[in-house]
Amino acid sequence: MRHLLLCLVLVVAVPASAQEVPLDLPQLTDAQLETYKESTKKATKLYREGRHARAIHHAKRALSIHDGDEGAWYNLACTQALANQREEALASLKEASARGWNDAVWPTRDGDLAILHDDLVFERWIESVKDMKDEAAPWPTFARASLASDEDTLDESSEAANKAISRVRAVIGRSGITSASRQVAAWKAASWDHIATTMSGDERTEASYEAIKIIAGRRPSSLSATSASELLRRSDSFLSSHPRAEESGKVELLRAEARHALARRDDKKAAAEGLRAELKGLADKHHRGETAEGALVRLFELSKDMDEARPVHARLMSIAEDADETRQALAGGGARGMHYKIDGLPRFEATRTDGVKLTRNSFQGKVTLVDFWATWCGPCIAEMPHLKAAAAKYADRKFEILGISLDNEKSKDLAAFQSWCSENGVSWPQVYDGKGWDAELAETFGVRSIPFPMLLDANGNVVATDGELRGPNLEKSIEKALESLENPAVGF
């Protein structure tokens, strides 16, 4: 089962001065939203307690208020399956896919759906999900009269639209959020096109680049087919019209990501190799500067192993205009483990909750597991049994764990955090500053997702990270590090 995220929301009206972004969102009252969230919360709680009949009742009550969330239908199907309601569960799965559920892998592994796994109807449903092409929907278009004509109105309107989406995000589900967010991005990009018509020279070029950045989004490496197609069209047009513009190199990088996003639908391996080749070409073409650095950062993320990553890392650091900023980019990327293995720990100062001061040199002479986590993080909590087992098994050897909490004092202050650790058997030292994602060590280490464990050897070098320290891999990595410490190689 995949649980719904329940968010606190505010009612936000669109400012009268703003051009309203056209959005197809459910028109629900505050009372309806509150009832929906409360019913979903009860359904989840009852599901966890194994009280499936009551959980189904509350899940259906939520769906009677609004039935557009594919995740809510999937969760209902899981609960019905556990209650041995096979036909009802299959019907709910069909409702989930009709509303945008497009994950064909997870349901085949979900233990909650075990009684359906050998069902021919379930197998046919999985095949129908695999065939879904919803992300190839056409890019939204707008009438000129509906667009913003200046940057202030654009910012004001898009902010209001995003708040409107946030208000109902617990109701509309992932596909609804994706569709609405794409609508906002398309409106902003089209508005920049409209604004560009009033400009000339460099200002018009900059406006066109703003539209391209909006379509690329915060994670160009995860573009959908729809966004990639539009980004590719715009990038080609931009580079044809402005080949020597200051922004052309950055547009070339985004175009490479768009090509990769479209190619990976047919052959992921060939698409990745094509992207590597294009990135190497851009790094060689531009030599230095933002484009070369951006190409090398992405190339580093795509490295298959340490042998491939090391020369890319060395080249990147040799041309970096701001070494600390580049390290932050690498530390926060998909290859953060390889970065720390190559570059080592950053300089830092911190204080544990017991008052002990820490620096980069505090990890000498023992094997240490540094674990970035939070009490609200489901995957972090799922790893706790493995951490507790390791803490107990290696208590008499030179091994320790250091937790670095990303809890926020607004939801869990220091006393509440320490109480939680005590009640849940988390006995190892912790660093807590109550700043959540803005925690000082999270910023220093560039941590943007958790859990993020790192295993340090007796010299403070990073020897394992992330997946190498999950589940049963944790003890294997600890054993290897302790073996090296307790039985050092003898040479002549």
Side-chain angles (χ1 to χ4, degrees):
M1 183 173 185
R2 285 187 172 178
H3 303 301
L4 302 172
L5 293 176
L6 302 175
C7 307
L8 292 175
V9 296
L10 297 173
V11 180
V12 183
V14 177
S17 60
Q19 174 68 56
E20 193 168 338
V21 182
L23 289 172
D24 183 20
L25 297 176
Q27 300 301 306
L28 301 177
T29 65
D30 291 349
Q32 288 173 316
L33 282 171
E34 192 59 37
T35 301
Y36 182 96
K37 291 187 292 178
E38 187 61 29
S39 296
T40 303
K41 184 177 181 180
K42 287 180 180 178
T44 301
K45 181 175 183 293
L46 290 164
Y47 155 84
R48 288 172 174 165
E49 294 173 354
R51 298 164 65 187
H52 301 132
R54 293 297 297 164
I56 291 169
H57 168 76
H58 286 287
K60 287 183 175 179
R61 186 186 182 198
L63 287 166
S64 71
I65 296 171
H66 181 72
D67 65 357
D69 179 2
E70 76 280 6
W73 281 105
Y74 180 82
N75 287 347
L76 174 59
C78 289
T79 312
Q80 289 169 327
L82 290 170
N84 204 30
Q85 298 178 11
R86 298 170 63 96
E87 297 300 322
E88 293 86 346
L90 288 166
S92 295
L93 287 176
K94 290 180 181 178
E95 295 289 350
S97 58
R99 286 158 178 79
W101 182 274
N102 59 7
D103 185 347
V105 176
W106 176 254
T108 62
R109 301 173 179 172
D110 195 337
D112 290 350
L113 299 177
I115 68 167
L116 303 180
H117 286 168
D118 294 329
D119 193 297
L120 181 60
V121 176
F122 177 77
E123 292 177 7
R124 288 173 178 167
W125 178 77
I126 290 293
E127 291 304 313
S128 72
V129 172
K130 288 179 181 178
D131 291 338
M132 287 177 68
K133 303 293 183 184
D134 60 317
E135 69 167 348
W139 185 256
T141 57
F142 305 90
R144 179 176 286 259
S146 69
L147 302 175
S149 56
D150 62 78
E151 187 173 354
D152 289 340
T153 301
L154 185 152
D155 288 341
E156 187 178 12
S157 299
S158 58
E159 181 180 355
N162 287 329
K163 286 181 178 179
I165 296 171
S166 294
R167 179 176 180 267
V168 295
R169 67 183 298 118
V171 174
I172 61 178
R174 286 180 298 174
S175 62
I177 293 168
T178 298
S179 177
S181 299
R182 180 181 295 158
Q183 195 83 358
V184 175
W187 182 85
K188 289 172 68 177
S191 291
W192 272 115
D193 291 342
H194 182 36
I195 294 169
T197 62
T198 66
M199 299 175 170
S200 61
D202 290 344
E203 289 185 338
R204 173 174 281 194
T205 303
E206 290 172 10
S208 297
Y209 177 58
E210 286 298 325
I212 287 173
K213 284 200 300 181
I214 287 165
I215 295 165
R218 295 181 180 179
R219 297 180 61 191
S221 59
S222 302
L223 286 165
S224 69
T226 300
S227 298
S229 296
E230 180 65 9
L231 179 59
L232 186 58
R233 183 187 71 79
R234 285 177 174 268
S235 298
D236 285 340
S237 176
F238 183 95
L239 293 169
S240 175
S241 304
H242 314 287
R244 293 181 179 81
E246 181 180 344
E247 300 87 357
S248 63
K250 289 177 281 188
V251 173
E252 287 179 305
L253 284 175
L254 294 176
R255 182 176 62 175
E257 294 288 6
R259 286 174 172 167
H260 173 246
L262 293 172
R264 71 184 175 214
R265 293 184 300 165
D266 299 320
D267 188 330
K268 290 184 179 180
K269 184 176 180 181
E273 289 301 325
L275 180 56
R276 283 192 186 90
E278 193 161 357
L279 292 170
K280 289 176 182 176
L282 288 172
D284 292 339
K285 174 183 174 182
H286 292 273
H287 303 295
R288 308 185 75 86
E290 286 187 63
T291 302
E293 288 188 38
L296 290 171
V297 167
R298 186 72 172 103
L299 199 55
F300 183 78
E301 292 178 347
L302 291 168
S303 298
K304 291 176 281 189
D305 51 43
M306 291 292 286
D307 289 339
E308 188 176 321
R310 286 184 188 280
V312 178
H313 192 283
R315 181 179 175 188
L316 178 57
M317 297 310 300
S318 71
I319 68 167
E321 294 182 5
D322 186 326
D324 289 338
E325 186 176 305
T326 300
R327 285 189 172 94
Q328 284 284 312
L330 293 173
R336 58 186 181 181
M338 285 196 292
H339 164 67
Y340 280 119
K341 287 179 182 179
I342 294 170
D343 206 53
L345 298 181
R347 294 183 181 277
F348 71 91
E349 293 181 356
T351 304
R352 298 186 339 196
T353 54
D354 58 6
V356 174
K357 304 289 185 182
L358 296 173
T359 68
R360 186 170 62 175
N361 297 322
S362 300
F363 306 111
Q364 303 292 317
K366 55 187 176 296
V367 173
T368 307
L369 178 70
V370 178
D371 184 39
F372 286 86
W373 74 293
T375 60
W376 48 259
C377 167
C380 302
I381 303 306
E383 291 298 319
M384 278 299 162
H386 301 290
L387 269 66
K388 292 177 186 177
K393 182 174 182 178
Y394 303 111
D396 297 330
R397 297 169 73 178
K398 294 182 179 181
F399 171 74
E400 70 175 24
I401 303 174
L402 172 68
I404 300 176
S405 166
L406 269 62
D407 283 280
N408 191 312
E409 64 182 356
K410 292 180 180 179
S411 57
K412 194 179 261 89
D413 61 19
L414 178 58
F417 171 74
Q418 291 179 311
S419 176
W420 189 97
C421 290
S422 177
E423 291 171 3
N424 290 276
V426 180
S427 58
W428 47 90
Q430 299 287 332
V431 174
Y432 167 99
D433 66 11
K435 297 179 181 179
W437 286 109
D438 295 324
E440 291 183 16
L441 287 187
E443 291 190 353
T444 300
F445 281 77
V447 175
R448 297 173 189 167
S449 64
I450 53 176
F452 176 40
M454 294 189 292
L455 188 67
L456 313 181
D457 67 12
N459 296 315
N461 299 316
V462 179
V463 293
T465 64
D466 281 323
E468 298 169 305
L469 301 171
R470 300 284 185 90
N473 289 335
L474 176 61
E475 289 193 9
K476 294 178 184 177
S477 294
I478 293 172
E479 287 280 5
K480 185 176 180 180
L482 285 172
E483 179 69 21
S484 296
L485 171 62
E486 295 165 351
N487 300 289
V490 177
F492 295 94

